[in-house]
Amino acid sequence: MVADRPGVPRPGWRWAQAPAVRHRKVVKEADRWRALAVLCVANFLVVLDTSIVNTAAPDIMASMGAGIDEVLWVLNGYLLAFAALLIVFGRLGDLVGPRTLFLGGLGLFTTASVLCGLSAGVGWLIAARVLQGLGAAMLVPQALVLIAAIFPHTRRGTAFGLFTAAAGVAAVGGPALGGLVVTSWGWQSIFYLNVPAGVAGLLFARRFLPTARTGRTHRFDVLGVLLASTGLTGIVYGLIEGGRHHWGTISGAFSIPLVFGVSAVSLVLFVLWERRVPEPLVPLDLFRHRNYTIATVITSVLSFALYGFLLVFVLETQTVLGMSPLMSGLTALPWTVVLSVLAPIAGRLADRVGGRVLLVAGLATYALGILGVAFLPTESATAVTFVLPLVVVGIGQGMTFTPATTEAMREITADRTGAASGTLNTARQVGAAMGAAVTGAVLQGQIASGSSVLEAARLSLTVVAGVVLAGCVLALFTARPHQSQEVSDGTHRTEQRPAGRDRSADVPAGDGEADRRPGQHPVALTRFPVPRRA
């Protein structure tokens, strides 16, 4: 250790031009958790708007005189913009900084929420929803980058757990909250809910979020952006619209198979281009990390199962059992509580023992819970019937959501966290679209063949459980974390600077080291805002 001497900076620290007297200050541990709280609130709002709007669809149709096709685009315009641009904004965060894009994305999302509530026609509402999706795509990839920068390796699992729990509560609780809000204040209120939380999030983000830098600059891969956006837009559009058009012709020569074909060609060209370009949009050697590849696929599987399961659960409770949207949401309360409690605990365990055991056990438990929801209820079931299987579902999800993210990001170097996060979140959104499309197709096929809704729901959930079990088998191949992984006390130090100068200081990202590690790019530096002294 090099002792501090007057006028001599500690190795690894960059000193600003300042008077001879400098005051160092240790950033409080609470600042990390305040920053995480901001990220969790933003993630909650983004996920909430993927589920809460479904509840308001009938009211939107009635008040605007819209047809089912138009209302579907109110729902899907958001998802399309969100999923198609995650990779783009993930990499863009590596260029301009994740804090900048997070603030811009949250500001755009909040503004678009106001425009949604003020929309006088369904066309304006669809456009505002696309803007919402654009804002969501800007901010979501940056959250994982910032968490990786703020927290040391030994505590990232806990942070990812809280972040995941916020998303889980939003996904599961969206229909219940939507039913309550729409019944009390009308459909516009589901969008106005975002405004106070978004404004508060912007204020606290400017105060508590650090500036994470990777130590190197990147070029922007324009052709890669065009190819990736075309391919992902086509896939998500085809999955969203395929069932409605019976996977055939949409209009004239324009058809779902054509959309998928163009998307496949675009993605093949994208991969070929990324292998040649010096600064790729998605560095393909990310997938040389076995755990990143496996965790990305498992993330897609988990999203597939979540949205497929939600679709069938809502249909089963409301159509078969006659529950109101609010009662259906309250029936899911045991699921929500267990997931919220268990996700941070699983994150802490993943830090200590690795994610393989948790992923295998959690996915197996998740599949068991889904089968319980499929086969235990009858046409005379009540909310009590669902308590035990939903608790099992919550345990399974709580054991898997966080370790999947932790294992995906564990070994990614600082200069690639944006691209890795964007790719991971894209897999999540494509999985969600596939889950809804496949489950919906199974439901439609069974009902059309004469099966009852309950029988169709059972077969659909069996398919979902089968996909989860396939993910369980894949999780067996997850590698154990390296024993030589960096550990630190996580102390963040900043420099108190005079008023009028840059009031943030470079501090090591998460693991407390500012040096260059062998074989890696420079570790990201995190700049925490330093409050003015009275």
Side-chain angles (χ1 to χ4, degrees), residues 479-502:
R480 296 181 182 277
H482 296 305
Q483 298 299 319
S484 60
Q485 198 173 46
E486 301 88 357
V487 177
S488 77
D489 61 359
T491 302
H492 288 264
R493 298 180 184 275
T494 64
E495 183 183 346
Q496 187 69 40
R497 301 189 182 171
R501 296 183 182 271
D502 183 8

Side-chain angles (χ1 to χ4, degrees), residues 138-425:
M138 288 177 66
L139 71 90
V140 167
Q142 319 313 324
L144 295 183
V145 178
L146 290 166
I147 290 174
I150 295 168
F151 288 88
H153 285 293
T154 51
R155 278 187 277 181
R156 281 181 196 163
T158 303
F160 283 139
L162 293 169
F163 185 76
T164 302
V169 171
V172 177
L177 180 60
L180 177 62
V181 170
V182 170
T183 302
S184 303
W185 297 292
W187 66 265
Q188 294 90 343
S189 58
I190 64 173
F191 299 111
Y192 291 144
L193 274 178
N194 298 329
V195 178
V199 171
L202 284 169
L203 295 176
F204 284 108
R206 290 180 61 85
R207 172 65 181 81
F208 294 116
L209 285 188
T211 300
R213 299 186 292 112
T214 64
R216 63 174 293 182
T217 59
H218 297 279
R219 298 176 182 175
F220 198 55
D221 179 13
V222 177
L223 181 57
V225 167
L226 295 175
L227 291 172
S229 299
T230 301
L232 291 171
T233 300
I235 286 176
V236 177
Y237 175 86
L239 290 171
I240 289 171
E241 293 289 294
R244 191 159 61 92
H245 296 285
H246 306 289
W247 307 99
T249 301
I250 299 174
S251 177
F254 187 51
S255 66
I256 295 297
L258 178 63
V259 170
F260 282 134
V262 172
S263 300
V265 171
S266 298
L267 292 177
V268 169
L269 292 175
F270 172 73
V271 172
L272 294 175
W273 172 252
E274 296 298 283
R275 294 177 64 181
R276 298 181 56 185
V277 68
E279 286 281 347
L281 182 67
V282 177
L284 297 181
D285 58 359
L286 283 174
F287 298 100
R288 294 177 183 173
H289 294 282
R290 183 169 70 178
N291 281 12
Y292 178 79
T293 303
I294 292 174
T296 299
V297 175
I298 289 175
T299 296
S300 187
V301 166
L302 290 170
S303 198
F304 179 104
L306 173 61
Y307 285 90
F309 179 80
L310 272 174
L311 176 64
V312 179
F313 177 77
V314 170
L315 182 69
E316 193 173 28
T317 54
Q318 296 187 27
T319 302
V320 178
L321 303 179
M323 295 184 184
S324 66
L326 179 59
M327 188 61 200
S328 176
L330 293 176
T331 301
L333 190 60
W335 172 16
T336 309
V337 171
V338 173
L339 171 61
S340 305
V341 171
L342 195 55
I345 298 173
R348 184 174 299 179
L349 288 174
D351 289 333
R352 295 180 179 179
V353 303
R356 182 169 65 178
V357 173
L358 291 169
L359 287 171
V360 172
L363 286 165
T365 305
Y366 190 7
L368 180 63
I370 292 172
L371 292 174
V373 173
F375 292 100
L376 286 181
T378 64
E379 293 182 353
S380 59
T382 64
V384 177
T385 309
F386 290 91
V387 171
L388 179 59
L390 286 179
V391 166
V392 176
V393 168
I395 292 172
Q397 288 181 335
M399 292 175 66
T400 53
F401 281 8
T402 305
T405 303
T406 303
E407 291 302 316
M409 303 298 292
R410 190 188 295 276
E411 296 180 359
I412 303 301
T413 54
D415 63 312
R416 299 188 175 195
T417 51
S421 174
T423 304
L424 185 68
N425 280 289

